[in-house]
Coordinates of all heavy atoms in Angstrom, one line a residue:
A202 N 66.2 87.3 -139.8 CA 67.3 87.2 -138.8 C 68.5 86.7 -139.5 O 69.6 86.8 -138.9 CB 66.8 86.2 -137.8
D203 N 68.5 86.1 -140.7 CA 69.7 85.6 -141.3 C 70.7 86.8 -141.6 O 71.9 86.7 -141.3 CB 69.4 84.9 -142.6 CG 68.6 83.7 -142.4 OD1 68.7 83.1 -141.3 OD2 67.8 83.3 -143.3
K204 N 70.1 87.9 -142.1 CA 71.0 89.1 -142.4 C 71.5 89.7 -141.0 O 72.6 90.2 -140.9 CB 70.2 90.1 -143.1 CG 69.9 89.7 -144.6 CD 69.1 90.8 -145.3 CE 68.8 90.4 -146.7 NZ 68.1 91.5 -147.5
G205 N 70.6 89.6 -140.0 CA 71.0 90.1 -138.7 C 72.1 89.3 -138.1 O 73.0 89.9 -137.5
M206 N 72.2 88.0 -138.3 CA 73.2 87.2 -137.8 C 74.5 87.5 -138.5 O 75.6 87.6 -137.9 CB 72.9 85.7 -138.0 CG 73.9 84.8 -137.3 SD 74.0 84.9 -135.5 CE 72.5 84.1 -135.0
A207 N 74.4 87.7 -139.8 CA 75.6 88.1 -140.5 C 76.1 89.4 -140.1 O 77.4 89.6 -140.0 CB 75.3 88.2 -142.1
R208 N 75.3 90.4 -139.7 CA 75.8 91.7 -139.2 C 76.4 91.5 -137.8 O 77.4 92.2 -137.5 CB 74.6 92.6 -139.1 CG 74.1 93.1 -140.5 CD 72.9 94.0 -140.3 NE 72.4 94.5 -141.6 CZ 71.2 95.1 -141.8 NH1 70.5 95.3 -140.8 NH2 70.9 95.6 -143.0
L209 N 75.8 90.6 -137.0 CA 76.3 90.4 -135.7 C 77.8 89.9 -135.8 O 78.7 90.3 -135.1 CB 75.5 89.4 -134.9 CG 76.1 88.9 -133.6 CD1 76.0 90.1 -132.5 CD2 75.3 87.7 -133.0
V210 N 78.0 88.9 -136.7 CA 79.3 88.3 -136.9 C 80.3 89.3 -137.4 O 81.4 89.5 -136.9 CB 79.2 87.1 -137.8 CG1 80.6 86.6 -138.1 CG2 78.4 86.0 -137.1
G211 N 79.9 90.0 -138.4 CA 80.8 90.9 -139.1 C 81.1 92.2 -138.4 O 82.2 92.7 -138.4
E212 N 80.1 92.7 -137.6 CA 80.2 94.0 -137.0 C 80.6 94.0 -135.5 O 81.1 94.9 -134.9 CB 79.0 94.8 -137.2 CG 78.7 95.1 -138.7 CD 77.4 95.8 -138.9 OE1 76.9 96.5 -138.0 OE2 76.8 95.6 -140.0
H213 N 80.3 92.8 -134.8 CA 80.4 92.7 -133.4 C 81.4 91.6 -133.0 O 82.2 91.8 -132.1 CB 79.1 92.6 -132.7 CG 78.2 93.8 -132.9 ND1 78.3 94.9 -132.1 CD2 77.2 94.0 -133.8 CE1 77.4 95.8 -132.5 NE2 76.7 95.3 -133.5
L214 N 81.2 90.4 -133.5 CA 82.0 89.3 -133.1 C 83.4 89.4 -133.8 O 84.4 89.1 -133.1 CB 81.4 88.0 -133.6 CG 80.0 87.7 -133.0 CD1 79.6 86.3 -133.4 CD2 80.0 87.7 -131.5
K215 N 83.5 89.7 -135.0 CA 84.8 90.0 -135.7 C 85.7 88.8 -135.5 O 86.9 89.0 -135.1 CB 85.4 91.3 -135.3 CG 84.5 92.5 -135.6 CD 85.2 93.8 -135.1 CE 84.3 95.0 -135.4 NZ 84.9 96.3 -134.9
I216 N 85.2 87.6 -135.8 CA 85.9 86.3 -135.5 C 86.9 86.1 -136.7 O 86.5 86.2 -137.8 CB 85.0 85.2 -135.4 CG1 84.1 85.4 -134.1 CG2 85.7 83.9 -135.4 CD1 83.0 84.4 -134.0
R217 N 88.1 85.8 -136.3 CA 89.2 85.5 -137.3 C 89.3 84.1 -137.6 O 89.1 83.2 -136.7 CB 90.5 86.2 -136.9 CG 90.4 87.7 -136.7 CD 91.8 88.2 -136.3 NE 92.1 87.8 -134.9 CZ 91.8 88.5 -133.8 NH1 91.1 89.6 -133.9 NH2 92.1 88.1 -132.7
P218 N 89.8 83.7 -138.8 CA 90.0 82.2 -139.1 C 91.0 81.6 -138.1 O 92.0 82.3 -137.7 CB 90.6 82.3 -140.5 CG 90.1 83.5 -141.1 CD 90.0 84.5 -140.0
G219 N 90.7 80.4 -137.7 CA 91.5 79.7 -136.8 C 91.3 80.0 -135.3 O 91.8 79.2 -134.5
E220 N 90.4 80.9 -135.0 CA 90.1 81.2 -133.6 C 89.2 80.1 -133.0 O 88.5 79.4 -133.7 CB 89.4 82.5 -133.4 CG 90.3 83.7 -133.6 CD 89.7 85.0 -133.1 OE1 88.6 85.3 -133.5 OE2 90.4 85.7 -132.4
K221 N 89.3 79.9 -131.7 CA 88.5 78.9 -130.9 C 87.2 79.6 -130.4 O 87.3 80.6 -129.7 CB 89.3 78.4 -129.7 CG 90.6 77.7 -130.1 CD 91.3 77.2 -128.9 CE 92.6 76.4 -129.3 NZ 93.6 77.4 -129.9
V222 N 86.1 79.1 -130.9 CA 84.8 79.8 -130.6 C 83.9 78.8 -129.8 O 83.7 77.7 -130.2 CB 84.1 80.1 -132.0 CG1 82.8 80.8 -131.7 CG2 85.0 81.1 -132.8
L223 N 83.4 79.4 -128.7 CA 82.4 78.7 -127.9 C 81.0 79.3 -128.1 O 80.9 80.5 -127.7 CB 82.8 78.6 -126.4 CG 81.8 77.9 -125.5 CD1 81.8 76.4 -125.9 CD2 82.3 78.1 -124.0
D224 N 80.0 78.6 -128.6 CA 78.7 79.1 -128.8 C 77.8 78.6 -127.7 O 77.3 77.4 -127.7 CB 78.3 78.7 -130.2 CG 76.9 79.2 -130.6 OD1 76.4 80.1 -129.9 OD2 76.5 78.9 -131.7
V225 N 77.5 79.4 -126.7 CA 76.7 79.0 -125.5 C 75.3 79.3 -125.8 O 74.9 80.4 -126.1 CB 77.2 79.8 -124.3 CG1 76.4 79.4 -123.0 CG2 78.7 79.6 -124.1
G226 N 74.5 78.3 -125.6 CA 73.0 78.4 -126.0 C 73.0 78.4 -127.6 O 72.2 79.2 -128.2
C227 N 73.6 77.4 -128.2 CA 73.8 77.4 -129.6 C 72.5 77.1 -130.4 O 72.5 77.4 -131.6 CB 74.9 76.5 -130.1 SG 74.4 74.7 -129.6
G228 N 71.5 76.5 -129.8 CA 70.3 76.2 -130.5 C 70.6 75.2 -131.6 O 71.4 74.3 -131.5
P229 N 69.9 75.5 -132.8 CA 70.2 74.6 -134.0 C 71.4 74.9 -134.8 O 71.6 74.5 -135.9 CB 68.9 74.8 -134.8 CG 68.5 76.2 -134.5 CD 68.9 76.5 -133.1
G230 N 72.3 75.8 -134.2 CA 73.5 76.1 -134.9 C 73.4 77.2 -135.9 O 74.2 77.2 -136.9
R231 N 72.6 78.2 -135.7 CA 72.4 79.2 -136.6 C 73.7 80.1 -136.9 O 73.8 80.7 -137.9 CB 71.3 80.2 -136.1 CG 69.8 79.5 -136.2 CD 68.8 80.6 -135.9 NE 68.9 81.7 -136.8 CZ 69.1 82.9 -136.4 NH1 69.4 83.2 -135.1 NH2 69.2 83.9 -137.3
L232 N 74.6 80.2 -135.9 CA 75.8 81.0 -136.1 C 76.7 80.4 -137.1 O 77.4 81.1 -137.8 CB 76.4 81.1 -134.7 CG 77.7 81.9 -134.6 CD1 77.4 83.4 -134.9 CD2 78.3 81.8 -133.2

Side-chain angles (χ1 to χ4, degrees):
D203 298 333
K204 291 182 179 179
M206 185 64 75
R208 289 175 179 170
L209 174 69
V210 172
E212 299 173 26
H213 296 276
L214 300 183
K215 299 179 181 178
I216 295 170
R217 297 181 292 270
E220 286 192 311
K221 300 177 178 68
V222 178
L223 180 63
D224 188 3
V225 180
C227 64
R231 289 188 58 245
L232 181 65

